[in-house]
Amino acid sequence: MSMRHIDYLVSQIKKLDKGTIRMIRILGGEPLLSSILVSAIRAFEILIETGFIQEINIVTNGTIKIPAECAEYIVYAPQSLGKMVSEKNRPLTPLEVLIVKNSKHRNITVSPKDLNLQGKICDRVQICGINYSVYGFCFCAPCFPSLMVSMKNHQYFFHSLPSDLESLTPDGFENNVCSICNFAIKDYNSFVNQKPELQSSNFIGKTWQRIILDNRSNYTEPDTDWINSVII
């Protein structure tokens, strides 16, 4: 992102009633690598001072020195990394990060379509909210990969902050996005208990495999130039 994207987000939030958005969470990749992070934090702090938001949350893996301007907003993820950083009082080595990563990534990635699940089953948006990126506004973590991976889903990126969550899921969203979502297993624990063979970290939904293979020869990134035509 550039500061133009940040300034546009701030302008959109200021159009809402105060208190509509409680928190701005800054994720990555690793957000501490961003050259505009401190400037973005200053812009978001004005939103706190004027009552439009209450919190800023920066999620880091703990491997990079934290700028003083960002220190009070830091949240470590995964938590084991944060604990290690606190105990060692220094950035972690690549090997230490790898050890934690290998421990953290014990999961499955599966599409509801591969499980013959019907209908809109994702209930995670209540804890995730709306994502904003250079591509626009959309549902957060669970839906973002589904929007990205299939070109036909790029149409669901909004270039202004929607007034309600329902507007983010127009007709066709369920069949296009939800059908290939790799997080939308409503009851993950009971599902794995019924099928213990899926506990292997190598299990990946066939729908994702097919789409990713197709993308190798035929994929176009979503438009990122739209911000240049926006009047802030």
Side-chain angles (χ1 to χ4, degrees):
M1 283 191 176
S2 68
M3 277 305 298
R4 182 168 177 81
H5 289 94
I6 300 298
D7 292 340
Y8 179 60
L9 174 61
V10 169
S11 73
Q12 291 289 292
I13 291 175
K14 285 182 175 178
K15 293 178 181 179
L16 303 175
D17 292 336
K18 292 182 178 180
T20 302
I21 296 177
R22 184 179 67 83
M23 176 192 293
I24 291 180
R25 177 174 288 126
I26 305 172
L27 305 167
E30 172 49 61
L32 294 183
L33 288 172
S34 172
S35 61
I36 67 166
L37 181 60
V38 172
S39 297
I41 289 298
R42 289 171 179 155
F44 296 151
E45 284 176 333
I46 294 175
L47 291 178
I48 293 181
E49 293 167 3
T50 52
F52 284 96
I53 65 171
Q54 298 176 34
E55 296 182 58
I56 301 169
N57 190 300
I58 305 171
V59 181
T60 175
N61 65 19
T63 59
I64 297 173
K65 185 177 180 180
I66 298 168
E69 298 89 338
C70 302
E72 65 179 292
Y73 308 118
I74 292 294
V75 173
Y76 291 106
Q79 292 300 317
S80 49
L81 271 175
K83 182 179 179 182
M84 289 175 67
V85 171
S86 297
E87 291 174 347
K88 297 178 183 298
N89 196 29
R90 61 164 173 75
L92 301 183
T93 66
L95 178 59
E96 288 169 334
V97 175
L98 181 63
I99 291 171
V100 176
K101 179 181 184 296
N102 288 343
S103 173
K104 174 177 179 269
H105 284 220
R106 292 173 182 163
N107 56 9
I108 63 170
T109 303
V110 63
S111 164
K113 190 173 182 180
D114 296 326
L115 308 176
N116 294 319
L117 298 176
Q118 304 298 318
K120 188 174 181 180
I121 63 169
C122 184
D123 59 359
R124 291 173 55 94
V125 71
Q126 293 181 5
I127 61 171
C128 288
I130 299 174
N131 179 69
Y132 174 64
S133 70
V134 292
Y135 307 122
F137 296 93
C138 67
F139 276 143
C140 193
C143 296
F144 187 77
S146 301
L147 288 159
M148 277 293 300
V149 73
S150 176
M151 285 188 291
K152 69 179 179 181
N153 290 339
H154 298 171
Q155 62 182 303
Y156 297 113
F157 285 110
F158 280 61
H159 292 163
S160 61
L161 187 63
S163 58
D164 55 73
L165 292 177
E166 287 75 16
S167 63
L168 283 168
T169 57
D171 290 344
F173 188 92
E174 182 175 328
N175 290 333
N176 295 335
V177 181
C178 299
S179 65
I180 63 171
C181 179
N182 64 334
F183 284 93
I185 300 175
K186 193 168 187 178
D187 191 347
Y188 170 85
N189 290 329
S190 65
F191 172 76
V192 172
N193 289 339
Q194 293 170 17
K195 295 183 178 292
E197 69 273 13
L198 299 184
Q199 293 185 27
S200 166
S201 60
N202 295 323
F203 183 86
I204 301 175
K206 294 178 182 178
T207 301
W208 276 98
Q209 289 178 327
R210 176 181 54 76
I211 292 176
I212 290 169
L213 284 172
D214 290 345
N215 284 347
R216 289 182 179 178
S217 59
N218 180 31
Y219 183 78
T220 302
E221 282 282 319
D223 173 39
T224 61
D225 292 331
W226 61 272
I227 192 71
N228 296 322
S229 61
V230 169
I231 299 176
I232 299 176

